[in-house]
Amino acid sequence: MKSLRNLSIKLKTSLSISVYILAVLVGSILFTVYNFQERLLEDRIKSLEENVKNLSESYKDKIIVKNLEKIDELVGFLKSIKSVKNVFILDKNETVIGSTDLEYLGKLESNFPKKDLQKIEYNLSVDGEPVGKVVVLYDIKEIKQDIINDIKKIIYPLSLIVGFIIVASFLGTFFISTVLVNPLIKLKESILNLFWTGFYNLKEAVEFKPKTKSDVICVKGITEKCWLGSKNGKEILFSLGEKSIKECPKCEVFSKLSGDEIDNLTYSFYMMLSSLNDYINKLEEAYKERETLSCMAAMGEMSAKIAHEIKNALYSISNAANYIKNNANDDIIKEFGKIIKEESYRLNDMTVSFLNFSKLIEPKFSQEDLNEVIKNSIGLLIYDCEDYGIKVDLKLDNNLPKTFIDQNLIKQVLVNLILNSIDAIREKNTENPVIKISTEYLKNKSKIRLTVEDNGIGIKEEIKGKIFKPFFTTKPKGTGLGLPMVYKIIFLHGGTVNVESVYEKYTKFIIEIPVNRSGKDV
């Protein structure tokens, strides 16, 4: 039993069906042979009786006149019939006048041999008057044996046919089982690969082709097209997240397209991956938010303790440097005074930026057209872009709904990102420099996506995870507060910020802001 348990489903199915077909065929053959044997025995006995009757009638006249030569001839014919052992011809007085055994001539029927034989009696009569009788003794065992021998001749080729059917059924079932089980094997491999890869790139575990050639509209309204009937079904599925596993199984269209139970299981696994991906993204966002809040809290506490002291110290240093610059006769001392004053101003600016970042921002929400806010923000920096020969490529979604935002804070976000793009392009000295800004309405998520992309120097892979941390910067005179401020503002809008970048090729910031979030929700 253990060895059978360890066999694959394909072998188990093939063996089970083959054994079942074998049992059905053997049972059917045995039942048929038994009934056929009984019917053959009955038919052969009737045939024997008919032969006895016909031969007796043809020699009836010879028996009446006791023509011994013809009577012996009749005995010879009857004896030649297979399985006939004894023949007796009796006259009307029931005296033997012809027999296969001469010693019984002249004797009565009561003296016939008492062997294990069956008897056929045929009475001869003329106009109702008995004129004689023919008695034939035959061996029924011999008839049965002949029937068995004849059946054996049929059984042999029939066994070959049964063997062929069993082999064909095994191979056919094995092939069909392989086709049916393959999706399960792929599903198992996908599950194992997920554990090996640590649940990264969940999309790679999803492999399916559209169930229809033309796109199918989502009747649930959670997306424009049904992911099972779309070429970019994988992207649609992962954009749905947990909505897929909550809504799709209840959909009639999904039930029609999802196929049999195995396909249904596979698609359920894909929907589970989509939901899992959604939860992982939410956890990452929550982790980032926690880190941001922790930084804000720590910085707020620090700023309350040291900001006052720093500003007082800087004020004193600046005044002293100014006095030295204006009253010293030595040019070197004047130059150092100038440097001290400039650096104190720079340190003061950094302190102000630090205080602005750490203090609580209270957004003033109003319903605005994000496209217009973007155009206004670009207007502030368009001359900077022209100075460096940078093209600004706008692709704004005209179907964008209005949403509740603080337009001044969003302008600050855009200015920070565009200035970063200008710096990245200048650092790389890019040919055909361009900054691409686009908006898109994600109806299924009820969000607006804002993308800012440049073909500048890009971000090294090892520092991608640090760019939103306060005071982290790769610029010689940077404060490291620009991107953290961007993150903080978008966080206050209930949105998310993600970055895609390939070093020395491009950088893309992707911002998603909920459409239905108002000032009261913050």
Side-chain angles (χ1 to χ4, degrees), residues 14-15 17-26 159-173:
S14 303
L15 288 173
I17 292 178
S18 299
V19 170
Y20 174 75
I21 292 174
L22 178 63
V24 170
L25 288 176
V26 170
S159 299
L160 294 178
I161 294 173
V162 169
F164 174 78
I165 292 172
I166 295 301
V167 173
S169 65
F170 178 85
L171 295 176
T173 306

Side-chain angles (χ1 to χ4, degrees), residues 231-430:
K231 292 180 181 178
N232 61 335
K234 186 190 295 189
E235 299 299 326
I236 296 174
L237 172 62
F238 275 80
S239 69
L240 289 174
E242 62 179 329
K243 286 183 183 178
S244 62
I245 207 163
K246 288 181 178 179
E247 300 294 337
C248 291
K250 304 174 187 176
C251 177
E252 294 179 2
V253 175
F254 180 85
S255 299
K256 291 178 182 177
L257 294 177
S258 58
D260 58 23
E261 292 85 351
I262 294 178
D263 284 341
N264 219 305
L265 176 63
T266 303
Y267 296 142
S268 297
F269 172 68
Y270 292 161
M271 289 187 289
M272 184 195 74
L273 291 184
S274 173
S275 299
L276 182 59
N277 186 68
D278 203 16
Y279 288 128
I280 289 173
N281 289 337
K282 287 179 180 178
L283 284 173
E284 288 179 352
E285 289 175 13
Y287 178 74
K288 287 180 182 178
E289 289 173 6
R290 189 188 69 178
E291 280 198 330
T292 302
L293 291 173
S294 298
C295 285
M296 289 179 189
M299 291 170 64
E301 188 176 348
M302 287 170 59
S303 64
K305 292 179 180 179
I306 65 174
H308 180 71
E309 298 297 330
I310 289 176
K311 287 183 70 68
N312 287 341
L314 287 173
Y315 180 73
S316 300
I317 293 170
S318 178
N319 285 337
N322 193 49
Y323 178 83
I324 292 171
K325 178 186 173 185
N326 294 329
N327 294 288
N329 294 322
D330 193 324
D331 291 338
I332 296 175
I333 294 175
K334 286 183 178 182
E335 183 65 24
F336 276 110
K338 180 182 177 183
I339 293 171
I340 293 170
K341 184 176 181 180
E342 288 175 353
E343 287 301 309
S344 64
Y345 282 161
R346 189 177 71 83
L347 189 56
N348 184 70
D349 290 340
M350 184 180 292
T351 306
V352 171
S353 298
F354 174 74
L355 291 173
N356 288 336
F357 177 78
S358 59
K359 73 179 181 180
L360 181 64
I361 302 174
E362 295 184 5
K364 296 178 181 179
F365 288 98
S366 59
Q367 198 171 36
E368 303 290 344
D369 184 344
L370 183 60
N371 287 341
E372 291 300 319
V373 175
I374 292 170
K375 292 175 184 177
N376 294 334
S377 302
I378 292 171
L380 299 174
L381 298 169
I382 192 66
Y383 295 111
D384 295 79
C385 293
E386 289 177 355
D387 287 343
Y388 298 108
I390 299 171
K391 178 185 176 183
V392 178
D393 183 8
L394 286 181
K395 290 184 180 179
L396 306 180
D397 188 349
N398 293 325
N399 298 319
L400 215 64
K402 289 188 176 182
T403 183
F404 282 92
I405 56 174
D406 184 322
Q407 60 175 326
N408 290 324
L409 291 179
I410 295 299
K411 280 183 182 179
Q412 186 176 344
V413 167
L414 287 163
V415 168
N416 275 333
L417 293 179
I418 293 171
L419 287 174
N420 281 349
S421 293
I422 292 173
D423 289 341
I425 289 170
R426 289 178 61 197
E427 184 178 351
K428 184 184 176 184
N429 195 20
T430 307

Side-chain angles (χ1 to χ4, degrees), residues 218-230:
C218 175
V219 296
K220 285 283 185 179
I222 56 176
T223 182
E224 291 183 7
K225 301 172 185 177
C226 176
W227 59 276
L228 276 182
S230 178

